[in-house]
Amino acid sequence: MNEKEQSMVTVNDLPRDYKPLLNTREVETAIKDIKDFFERNLAAALGLQRVTAPLFVRGGTGINDDLNGTEQPVRFRVKEDGDAPMEIVQSLAKWKRLALKRYGYQVGEGIYTDMNALRPDETLDSIHSIYVD
């Protein structure tokens, strides 16, 4: 393998000496346990309420963050909504600010959410994916 090939990391590449301590099922259980622990404790410590986040938002509204200005969201149209343009969420920073106002939160109150997003322009490696959870 030449130097250029070595510098290119594919989705399935892991460090050569990587040896998993858990099987896939145990990893999924551990991920859920850690997420639940973090959610409960962060919410309790900061007085946050969990809200449900959208998977997609209406295109052209500016709600979908384009992160650094170069990412292109996954787009589709909704036939039953007058062929309205929609975008799969990439980031919820702007949406969360709108939600705080829309839901009537005051200074000192807050929300958190479990975001699912697609970032098709992400550089893929052993810890980065186009799917963000």
Side-chain angles (χ1 to χ4, degrees), residues 29-41:
T29 299
I31 289 169
K32 178 69 170 123
D33 289 346
I34 291 167
K35 283 179 71 173
D36 288 349
F37 175 84
F38 185 79
E39 271 190 30
R40 275 192 313 274
N41 288 282

Side-chain angles (χ1 to χ4, degrees), residues 36-54:
D36 288 349
F37 175 84
F38 185 79
E39 271 190 30
R40 275 192 313 274
N41 288 282
L42 182 67
L46 299 178
L48 303 176
Q49 180 180 358
R50 186 188 187 288
V51 298
T52 301

